[in-house]
Amino acid sequence: SGSSYLSRIVSAHSKVSMSYDTLNFFRFGYGAYDEISVEKNFELLLSDFSFRMKNRFEINIDVQQCMKQAKGKDLSYALANNLMLRQIYPDEKKTYLGDQESLVWTRVPEFLKMYPDGKIMVIARDPRDVVNSFRKITIAPGHDYLIALFNAIDIVDKGLEYSQKFPGNVHFLTFENLKLNTEGEARKITDFLGLDFEGQMLDPSAYTDHFGKPWDDNKSRSQPDEKDPLAAVGRWKNSIDPVDLFLTEWLARIQINKLGLELSGKEVNQATFDEGIKRITSSPLLQKALYKLV
């Protein structure tokens, strides 16, 4: 959906550091170590994350140093998250720390319990491009790549809902607008964060990884080495499977409209319809998702 790209734009700000696709605190930590206020549970969380970060990404988290810094403080998930992010980004000039995490938009209320004054950016993308992209990169068997369609539907609905419910805490934006009007969207983001806009946020050469090295955006793309920076916007028009297009526009037509996008207007014949029904009901995963949607 462009969340890694968004994180690099924000992290280029002189006062902000954001991890991306690494810590995944809500997927692997939050709620899994209760009671977190018990020291052994708190330390276990840090140890498990340290092991995962080192072996998966070669990022070091010093558990003992974190425990020293936690001494005398109320042990909590927020504290654990803060300590680990500061280990990843030790530069004290970076006073705003964040984590880019996929598939956790439903955890907005939990995040705000941890950080009542926290800031959340939810980025959504044209569901047709989401399905088209995810099909190319996933290892999901059969037609289970279509679960991305249900995710795309829900993130639009939840993102808009939370941005209205928590206007000072949640900012909703789209991949398309970020690509087509990067400066305008970056200025909205800095206004939301209460920061001054900085020009380097628009300079891809200023984007860095966790080690301060130039960020390789090919690692976050389904089509590496694509030369046109705007090619990812509306890519589905030239490459989406006709059956996937039918399913996406059928099930996500409301969300496509919410994003201010137009339907393709493609007519659907009986063969495409029949194959679509077959695909969307081809596994227990998709059947369950379809049942929840309708």
Side-chain angles (χ1 to χ4, degrees), residues 250-269:
W250 176 36
L251 296 176
R253 61 193 181 280
I254 295 174
Q255 288 71 30
I256 291 172
N257 180 260
K258 286 181 179 179
L259 294 177
L261 304 171
E262 296 182 356
L263 298 176
S264 67
K266 295 286 180 80
E267 293 187 6
V268 178
N269 59 35

Side-chain angles (χ1 to χ4, degrees), residues 1 6 105 108 119-127 151-178 185 188-189 192 255-260:
S1 66
L6 170 62
W105 60 87
V108 165
K119 300 286 187 176
I120 302 166
M121 289 169 284
V122 179
I123 184 169
R125 187 181 182 186
D126 187 331
N151 288 337
I153 290 171
D154 196 55
I155 195 170
V156 172
D157 289 344
K158 290 289 196 308
L160 289 171
E161 175 190 343
Y162 289 141
S163 66
Q164 295 168 6
K165 187 176 181 179
F166 310 106
N169 302 100
V170 180
H171 177 65
F172 180 83
L173 68 158
T174 69
F175 174 79
E176 289 74 24
N177 287 342
L178 187 63
E185 292 300 309
K188 290 179 183 178
I189 289 168
F192 168 69
Q255 288 71 30
I256 291 172
N257 180 260
K258 286 181 179 179
L259 294 177

Side-chain angles (χ1 to χ4, degrees), residues 239-256:
S239 57
I240 195 170
D241 178 273
V243 177
D244 291 345
L245 176 60
F246 154 62
L247 287 172
T248 305
E249 293 198 328
W250 176 36
L251 296 176
R253 61 193 181 280
I254 295 174
Q255 288 71 30
I256 291 172

Side-chain angles (χ1 to χ4, degrees), residues 279-292:
R279 286 188 191 181
I280 207 66
T281 59
S282 62
S283 74
L285 174 69
L286 295 176
Q287 291 171 14
K288 183 178 180 180
L290 183 62
Y291 177 78
K292 284 187 173 182

